[in-house]
Amino acid sequence: MNALGFAEYSLVLLSPLPETLNIILQPAAAGAEVTVSITRTETRLSETPASVVLLSRENLESTAAQTIDDSLRQIAGFTLFRRSGSRTTNPTAQGANLRGVSGSGASRAAVLFEGLSLNDAFGGWTYWSRVPLIAVEQAEVLRGGASSLYGSGGLSGAVNLVSRGRENGEPILYFRASAGTQDTYDGSVYTAFSRGVWSLDLAAETFQTGGYIPVAADERGLADTRANSRHNNAIFSAERRFGSATNDEHLSSQRNLSGRIFIRGNIFNERRDNGTSLTYNKTYFRQAAGGADLSSGRVGELRFRVFLEAQVYDQTFSAVAADRNSETLSRLQRVPSQASGASLFWTKPIGAHTVSASLETREVRGFSDEVGYFGGRATSLSGSGGREQAIAFFAQDNWAITEKLNLNFGFRVDRWKNFDAHSTTRTLSTNAVNVSSFPDRTETAFSPRVAAIYQLNHKASVYGSYSRSFRAPTLNELYRGFRVGSIVTQPNENLRAEYANTFEGGVNLALLNRRLNVRGNVFITTVSDPVVSITLTTTPTLITRQRQNVGETRTRGFELDAEYAIRTDLRLSASYLLANSRVTDFPGNPELVGKFLPQIARQQLNFQLTYRPPSRFSFGIQARISDAQWEDDLNTLRLRPYFTVDATAAYRIQKHLELFAAAENIFNARYDVGLTPVRTVAAPAFVRLGLRLRLGGK
């Protein structure tokens, strides 16, 4: 016996048969009938022909992680540019990458929250702190090319953070606060309230950590200090519902139209000290957004979005002496940028088809204003930057050909223009001014995707897909240089877009009455013209690199995700990635052919054990194993493999109040994070205690 949403049940009946027989079905294990929206139309996870992993609210609260990006590290293949998390890492190294596709700090994955991008408009990296973890209901990760859905940034996949919803119109309040080692404190709140057709919600967070000294103990000197961070964040929204949402059935049937209109604001401030006495960065971000969601039986669903944002990013750079006992200021940098955009999305089921389309536009402008220093004195003033305009069209069809066979095909066309770009340098000693104007450039990208999934039976399905994805160079990569330790990276105004072709095939299994869910796939991703920092010169005191299109790289890989419900309250899950990522063609430097791509581990294994019974006590354990990887394109600076374990436990005092403890890196693994060429290491063991309060809702 089976029923949708319930575990299969069988019973052998012996004569004589009973007059009445009551059978109570148990809910199916999580994963089989979960709905995801990362494909831009809501689909069941079991019917999605792609490698999609979902972390529910329960998953997020069962980990020791304090930030969203550290929570996502449960998924093998999800990495930031370097191995450390956003708690202390410079934001320019916080770009998300999936499946061994990497090259620089800019994200190779599109990251979204409530339909708007979290990828920095100027630099392409991701400000994970812009979204309080308490405001996220679930995180959806699509591995593989996602440009057919989200355009530039979706080269290796996408991350969709789904916000908490208002539950049945009831007022809700969630509060979390904790204190931990390394002088770390945080507090966050999420509240939502509805009255009639109006709804309001607020998510806010404050955070600070004293951090740690990132330079390895045997290499640090007097110039080395703690890398720390502090930020404040608030997201406020208001909406008005109409149509069926007003509970006026007569009015709804006449209008045949329902939906909502909303406005949203986001304020974010951040300050980080970057590990030496003179280096720090600050971010000041503001965003206003609005939109409407409309639904009509005749027309389908329409979603309109518009946003306007402004940001100022400040950073200092220094040169540290060989003995690391002194440093001198080398550069002050201020990067103001603005972005605006709008999108219109439509979807409608038509028979066996669910069709959708969208039109999107965006404009970004940003400049890097710098003061150069030498010997403690200002020597130059410089500025560089430009503007970008982009427009895109997207279309997709999900076709249920039969009850067992689903076909998905779609495409997206993006066209963008870089213009009004220039660089100005003034030498203070001579007052000479040098001005360079860069030519306008226009590129177009076509991103198709075709995929199919076939249900062999109620326990197994197979899928295959092909996608073409791309990432346009950011204004940061084109016009802004930077320095990390003894490594200077130069901009390159001639960068072109990087393109990826991905072929993959996989199988989904639901075994043991759906208590065991297994998803596995193999894939090949070939990237043309990837943007990588290439070493130009090396001296004992300075390494000079430049962002360049390196020809072609190829990643061959295998992914495996499994979840086993040992009992209804005890779950074991694991995620594994094997990625062989190498340079396959580079006419400018044949010496790089065959080299491993920098910042990519060949193997990753994560597993979690979660115990959440109806009783008051619960706990979770997470472990992560990562293979060695290379810091540089020449494969001379090796970051060693590592193993780390986290744990969390919670005790519910009463229905609405819970105490928790979390420990990260329990065994104090000081694994390599970077070689610049000074060795930097991961944060030491970190422990915090806190409480969670929940009023209203589930």
Side-chain angles (χ1 to χ4, degrees), residues 78 99 151 170 184-185 251 353 359 459 513 538 592 596:
F78 174 87
R99 282 189 171 176
E170 297 180 5
T184 303
Y185 306 93
L251 183 62
H353 301 262
L359 183 65
K459 295 181 179 180
N513 289 331
T538 301
L592 292 180
F596 289 98

Side-chain angles (χ1 to χ4, degrees), residues 34-344:
V34 172
T35 299
V36 295
S37 57
I38 196 168
T39 56
R40 301 198 68 169
T41 56
E42 289 194 352
T43 57
R44 291 177 179 173
L45 182 60
S46 60
E47 298 175 357
T48 304
S51 176
V52 176
V53 182
L54 181 143
L55 297 181
S56 66
R57 185 72 226 170
E58 180 179 305
N59 296 136
L60 296 173
E61 291 186 349
S62 299
T63 69
Q66 197 173 15
T67 60
I68 293 174
D69 58 296
D70 278 341
S71 298
L72 291 171
R73 292 173 77 183
Q74 296 180 58
I75 302 172
F78 174 87
T79 60
L80 302 190
F81 176 55
R82 288 193 166 90
R83 288 168 155 184
S84 56
S86 64
R87 197 160 53 205
T88 54
T89 298
N90 188 289
T92 61
Q94 291 181 24
N97 297 288
L98 296 163
R99 282 189 171 176
V101 177
S102 185
S104 66
S107 278
R108 265 67 179 182
V111 184
L112 302 102
F113 176 67
E114 292 191 340
L116 295 176
S117 175
L118 289 178
N119 298 126
D120 184 82
F122 178 81
W125 52 78
T126 305
Y127 280 105
W128 298 98
S129 304
R130 271 185 50 200
V131 178
L133 183 58
I134 198 171
V136 178
E137 181 64 26
Q138 68 183 30
E140 304 166 355
V141 179
L142 187 159
R143 298 178 295 199
S147 289
S148 64
L149 300 169
Y150 300 110
S152 182
L155 188 82
S156 67
V159 177
N160 183 39
L161 304 177
V162 180
S163 63
R164 283 186 185 267
R166 304 170 189 85
E167 299 168 10
N168 300 320
E170 297 180 5
I172 56 175
L173 172 67
Y174 300 123
F175 174 78
R176 187 188 74 174
S178 70
T181 55
Q182 302 172 24
D183 297 321
T184 303
Y185 306 93
D186 77 280
S188 56
V189 63
Y190 176 83
T191 183
F193 172 78
S194 297
R195 174 167 291 180
V197 297
W198 291 95
S199 297
L200 305 174
D201 65 58
L202 171 70
E205 180 178 66
T206 183
F207 171 87
Q208 70 173 53
T209 180
Y212 71 103
I213 300 177
V215 174
D218 58 346
E219 297 188 35
R220 70 180 59 150
L222 298 177
D224 295 304
T225 60
R226 289 186 174 192
N228 57 52
S229 70
R230 62 208 69 106
H231 71 257
N232 297 291
N233 187 21
I235 302 174
F236 170 81
S237 65
E239 74 170 46
R240 187 189 189 283
R241 301 179 303 280
F242 56 89
S244 60
T246 66
N247 296 320
D248 186 337
E249 296 182 3
H250 176 69
L251 183 62
S252 175
S253 63
Q254 285 187 339
R255 292 181 176 177
N256 193 29
L257 181 69
S258 63
R260 64 171 186 142
I261 56 175
F262 71 93
I263 58 172
R264 192 185 85 181
N266 183 198
I267 301 173
F268 174 70
N269 299 319
E270 179 182 73
R271 158 83 190 224
R272 296 171 180 266
D273 294 322
N274 294 325
T276 66
S277 302
L278 297 178
T279 56
Y280 70 87
N281 65 268
K282 295 188 297 184
T283 301
Y284 185 76
F285 177 87
R286 299 290 183 268
Q287 183 188 68
D293 295 337
L294 309 175
S295 179
S296 166
R298 292 183 178 181
V299 178
E301 294 184 24
L302 288 171
R303 303 170 199 162
F304 173 70
R305 300 290 185 270
V306 62
F307 74 91
L308 176 67
E309 63 187 38
Q311 175 180 284
V312 176
Y313 177 76
D314 294 318
Q315 183 160 345
T316 63
F317 301 89
S318 70
V320 181
D323 60 6
R324 302 199 64 79
N325 287 326
S326 63
E327 67 175 325
T328 57
L329 189 66
S330 61
R331 186 182 303 183
L332 291 176
Q333 188 176 80
R334 165 160 285 200
V335 184
S337 62
Q338 302 85 37
S340 60
S343 65
L344 179 63

Side-chain angles (χ1 to χ4, degrees), residues 56 85 205 215 254 284 288 318 358 407 450 464 535 557 560 623 645 647 668 682:
S56 66
E205 180 178 66
V215 174
Q254 285 187 339
Y284 185 76
S318 70
S358 74
L407 178 65
V450 58
T535 303
L560 182 66
V645 177
N668 199 37

Side-chain angles (χ1 to χ4, degrees), residues 529-532 534 548-553 583 585-587 592 597:
D529 296 327
V531 178
V532 177
I534 298 300
Q548 293 184 9
N549 296 103
V550 301
E552 183 182 271
T553 66
V583 177
D585 180 46
F586 187 32
L592 292 180
L597 293 184

Side-chain angles (χ1 to χ4, degrees), residues 538-607:
T538 301
T539 71
T541 59
L542 187 68
I543 299 173
T544 302
R545 295 175 180 166
Q546 185 185 47
R547 304 178 181 101
Q548 293 184 9
N549 296 103
V550 301
E552 183 182 271
T553 66
R554 181 176 294 121
T555 300
R556 293 186 175 96
F558 168 71
E559 289 170 335
L560 182 66
D561 298 282
E563 182 182 36
Y564 178 49
I566 302 172
R567 303 183 339 191
T568 56
D569 55 6
L570 183 63
R571 294 178 181 273
L572 175 66
S573 59
S575 182
Y576 172 76
L577 170 70
L578 170 66
N580 187 0
S581 303
R582 296 175 183 263
V583 177
T584 54
D585 180 46
F586 187 32
N589 185 0
E591 191 179 320
L592 292 180
V593 176
K595 301 290 187 185
F596 289 98
L597 293 184
Q599 304 297 342
I600 295 173
R602 191 167 184 268
Q603 297 185 81
Q604 296 178 49
L605 173 63
N606 304 331
F607 60 87

Side-chain angles (χ1 to χ4, degrees), residues 5 151 249 281 482 499 565 579 660 688:
E249 296 182 3
N281 65 268
F482 66 96
Y499 292 86
F660 69 91
R688 62 190 174 102

